[in-house]
Amino acid sequence: MERPAETLSVPAHRSLRDRVDAALRARGNWEQLAKFCVVGAIGYGINLAVYTGLLHAGIHYLLAATCSFLVAVTSNYTWNRVWTFRHLRAGVATQGMRFFIVSLASLGANLVVLDVLITLGAGKLVGQAIAIVLVTPLNFIGNKLWSFKRR
């Protein structure tokens, strides 16, 4: 079984390309990405369900997106901690705060994209669905490299 890229002995003086190549060849990174996407898909469903419910309750779409984010991020943190990055656990408070900060950055990006899409004529639900997908890479990279990085 291959080790994740962060455990490979790739000297720091190696080029960025060499380090990226090593990370892309590590099977563990791909498995971790797949797990992250499964957790994300569940969070995506939770997010859209809560968002839709809040819209139907008459809540403004930006507030609805913020509330649905808070519900989904709680689920995502729990599942990423116990499944995706289980071998990289650190203190719940520190790791949870880092996860929340990365998630807040992702939320900010999501709200900007959502607002732009709606301004351009996308529907509120379609806009949110697209915004979540577009922001996911930022979320994964931030969590992999900071929230759940090997200590």
Side-chain angles (χ1 to χ4, degrees):
M1 181 158 122
E2 294 181 48
R3 296 177 297 174
E6 66 268 13
T7 64
L8 293 174
S9 57
V10 179
H13 70 276
R14 302 273 311 261
S15 72
L16 177 60
R17 183 180 179 146
D18 289 342
R19 289 181 288 178
V20 169
D21 285 344
L24 290 173
R25 281 182 275 138
R27 179 180 174 189
N29 286 338
W30 292 103
E31 291 170 355
Q32 203 171 58
L33 176 60
K35 288 178 179 181
F36 188 85
C37 287
V38 168
V39 170
I42 292 167
Y44 182 74
I46 291 169
N47 189 312
L48 290 179
V50 172
Y51 179 75
T52 300
L54 292 173
L55 286 178
H56 287 300
I59 305 294
H60 187 272
Y61 69 90
L62 291 177
L63 180 58
T66 302
C67 293
S68 63
F69 158 81
L70 291 171
V71 174
V73 78
T74 302
S75 170
N76 288 355
Y77 174 69
T78 302
W79 284 108
N80 278 311
R81 181 173 168 81
V82 300
W83 187 49
T84 308
F85 301 106
R86 75 174 173 264
H87 63 288
L88 299 172
R89 285 190 191 170
V92 170
T94 300
Q95 200 170 56
M97 186 55 65
R98 287 180 179 210
F99 187 88
F100 191 69
I101 290 168
V102 169
S103 296
L104 283 176
S106 297
L107 172 63
N110 176 277
L111 293 176
V112 168
V113 172
L114 175 61
D115 197 43
V116 167
L117 290 171
I118 289 175
T119 299
L120 293 174
K124 292 176 183 172
L125 187 57
V126 169
Q128 176 69 338
I130 292 169
I132 291 169
V133 169
L134 292 177
V135 172
T136 295
L138 169 71
N139 196 358
F140 176 71
I141 291 168
N143 281 304
K144 178 163 180 61
L145 298 180
W146 191 50
S147 304
F148 292 101
K149 79 175 185 174
R150 188 170 299 283
R151 304 280 181 252

